Structures are given as structure tokens and as C-alpha cells.
Amino acid sequence: MLPLLARGPVNAFADIARRSRGGIVRLNLGPLRPYLVTHPDHVRHVMRDHWQNYLRMGKVWAPVERFLGTTFAGEGPDWEASRKAYQPMFTARHVTSLTSTLADVIAERVGLLDEPARAGRPIEATRTMADLVVAVNTVFFFGEKSSFAEGRRLAREFGTAVKWMNVRQIMPFVPDSVPLPGDRAFAGAVEAIDALVYPLIRKARQDDGHDVLSALCRARGTGQDADRLVRDDLVAALVAGTDTTTHALAWVWPLLQAHPRVAARLYEEIDHVVGTGPVRQEHLPELRYTKMVVQEVLRLYPSGWIMQRFPVAPGDIGGVPIDAGSPVFISPYATHRLDEFWDRPLEFDPERFSPGHEHRRHRYSYFPFGGGPHQCIGRHLFSVVALLTLATIVSRHHPQVRTPGPISPLPAALRPKQPIELHLVPVERRRARSARATG
Ligand code: HEM
């Protein structure tokens, strides 16, 4: 296992799952002997049917708790209270009602790309998508209470904290009393995050609003520890929703570049529905092919690619005995690549998601947003943001990727390993050029 993992754990897990045809595998990671569970029936067993025996706790989860607390990132009554507090802000209906605000934020960020496009200067895809997601999250979570610059600082500190949290997670056998490289950077990042977040919480308590932070403050009241609970809820959701969204959006561009026919159909749909923009709420249901493209991007690059669970009592999954206390890993990235459940699983083909096909699929053969009680609360927000982002960019530019492939995913929310250089060809110029070519 270790040499395989050294080459990259993301594809190592997927290769092992493919070789075992979705059978349960016990991985030998030295002192750690986790199970890799990828068959859709088994995934449903862990995530939905027997979820109370497979909890987010234990040594592998402890570093997460140190960063994000035990509310939204945990289990039990505190987690339930977080979910309840968040629910109304993340329903499809509420998110859709905010479409025009989100569309304005996205249009403003995409407008900044006109200048490099005119100058013929390339942009970097992951960084550009990251800025766009920061802008969206800042408005969605904080309304007018925060700024893009502050959101960017927060995102940078999240990056540092998550990086060093992951180091502790892959070495759960190292006691906390033994220092590891990165412990200080982790503590510094958490301190910086708290220094940004607590003043925002105080502001929200004085100046009520329709943003997520104000709703959290109302839901948690003002009792003892209320501010810490709001801080934990807020940071957990922001961390869960920032890099996942960013990296999923970044993968769109190399996939379109490698599949010109898909790109052409997407351009055509967006041109037909949105024209030169701006994108409006009523356009979204019309962007059917764009939605299929987004779903297929999330099949190949489900940025929440690995989930961990701790079996509290011994279990049995499909006849395989499971030891209590040995971590169970679930990976949509691996399940989405199983030949047993997908035709040509390694090929990018949005047609899989044409209407009607979902009935022919196992519910847990496609689960980029997880399932069961912990299913992602941000999935509707992601869908709206993804459609708005693609439609807004493509109505103005046809991005061309110049970075030679293949581009590989890193374990950190499947971040593309290489910078992705995008050349933005303004739509008008492209139309004029193809008219000249045909004329
Ligand atoms: C492409 C984008 C996204 C992907 C792939 C994704 C994926 C996931 C997955 C797989 C889970 C389940 C984790 C588990 O069972 O342990 C999850 C949970 C969660 N996601 Fe997302 N997510 C995305 C976007 C978002 C956004 C935009 C937000 C919020 C702004 C968000 C907030 C959360 C939260 C708070 C949870 C924990 C829910 C719970 O435990 O009850 N996610 N996400």
C-alpha cells in the first residue's frame, strides 16, 4: 500500500476499488488498518441504514474537532442543532430566491476578467474560481458585514489550518504530546480565523440581517458558549463549502478543453438561453445541458472525495465482519469509477445525466454530496453557483486551456496539481473569426 499511496492516494484508492470490483478491502497502512468501502449497497449501509454505528469520531477525526469543534463537524445533539439552525438557509427554495444577488456577485467577478482577456493575458483557473467562491460565500454568509478582502484572508487561513490538520489525520497514531511539523502553523491559523470571526459574530448580534451568520446567531441564542457554537458552525460550513466548490469549478475547464463536442454544445445552449447576459433566475431551469455537464464533472471529480467513519460496535457489511474502532473510508471518487456500475467510467460523458437516466442508477453509485443524515447541506447552493458561473463566463468568453495534460488531483479536495492556464477568447471575437472563416 505505502508505495502505491506515495504516488497519490486519490487514484490509489480508486485503483484498489476497481481491482476489487467494489468488494470491501482492508488497507494495510502500517499502524492503521482501515476498510475501504465502495460498493453502492455497502455505502448505503454505512451512510444511511446503519449510520448510528458509523460515526465521525475517533482518532482520525480528533484533529478535525480541534479545528471545527464538535457541532457541525461532529455528531449527536450539537450536530443536530447545527443542522436545524442551517436548514432554512440552504433549502433549494431559499437559495433560488437569492439567485439575483449571487448572479450580481458572480457577474462582478467575471467582469474583472475582461481586462486580461482584452490584453491576451492568461488567467489561472483554480485561483480565479477561488476568488469567485470567496466573493459568493462572503455575501451569502455575511451579507454586508464583511468584505471580499476579509473573505480572502479567511480562506487563506483555512487553507493553512486544513493542510496541517490533514497531517495529524494521516498519522493518528502519533500522540498529541509529540509535536509534529505544522502544529504551530495550525495553531496560528486557528488564532487568525478566530480573530476574524468573533468580531463578525459581535457585529451580527448588533445588526441583525438575512445572511447566514445572523440566522445562526438567532438560532443559537445568547446563552453560555453561544458565540463559540456560532463560530464552530460557521467555520465548519465555510471550510466544507469553499475548496470543494472551487476545485469542482476548476475541473470544468480542462474537461471541456479535452472534449470539444461537449464544449460546443454547452456554448450553444448558453448562447441560446442567456445570449450576452446577464444571467437571470429564469435562465437556470433552461440550462439543462449545462447542468448535465456539472453533474458529470462531479462524477469524475467529486471534491469531497473521501469520508471517514468510526465503527462504534463490531459490524457486518455484506457478510464481511467489521472490527469496532477501525476506520471505514468511503470514496465517491472510487465508487464513481467502478465498471460494475458505470459504462466506460473513466470517460467524460454528460449524456449519462440526460433526463430519465437517474432511475436506472443505484442511488449510491453517484453520491458527490454524500447521503443519509450527513448529506451535504450546500448542494443546492453549489448547483446554483455552478450554473451561474458557467453561464456568466461562457456568455462572455470561451476559455482555452493551454496547460498540457494530464492534470492530476491532489488529496486536498481534489485540487488540480498543476496551475491551469486559461486564455479567454472573447465571444464576439470568436464569432467574428468563425464568420470570417466560413465567409
Ligand atoms: C462541489 C461542492 C461540494 C461537494 C462536492 C460537497 C461534498 C460534501 C460531502 C461528500 C459531504 C458529506 C460528508 C460526510 O458524510 O462526512 C458534505 C457535507 C457537508 N457539506 Fe458539502 N460539498 C460541497 C459544497 C458545499 C457547500 C457550498 C457548503 C456550504 C456552504 C457545504 C457544506 C457542507 C456541510 C456543513 C456538510 C456537513 C453536513 C452534516 O454533517 O450534516 N458543502 N459535503
Side-chain angles (χ1 to χ4, degrees), residues 56 72 79 83 240-241 244 303 307 309 368-370 374 376 378 382:
R56 296 191 302 200
F72 223 159
W79 159 74
R83 220 160 155 123
T244 45
S303 37
M307 289 165 245
R309 295 293 191 269
F369 296 110
H374 285 295
C376 179
F382 173 78

Side-chain angles (χ1 to χ4, degrees), residues 301-319:
Y301 296 98
S303 37
W305 73 280
I306 187 105
M307 289 165 245
Q308 305 148 31
R309 295 293 191 269
F310 178 89
V312 184
D316 178 304
I317 308 180

Side-chain angles (χ1 to χ4, degrees), residues 62-78:
V64 179
E65 289 178 353
R66 271 201 297 277
F67 177 22
L68 306 176
T70 51
T71 64
F72 223 159
E75 299 281 3
D78 275 355

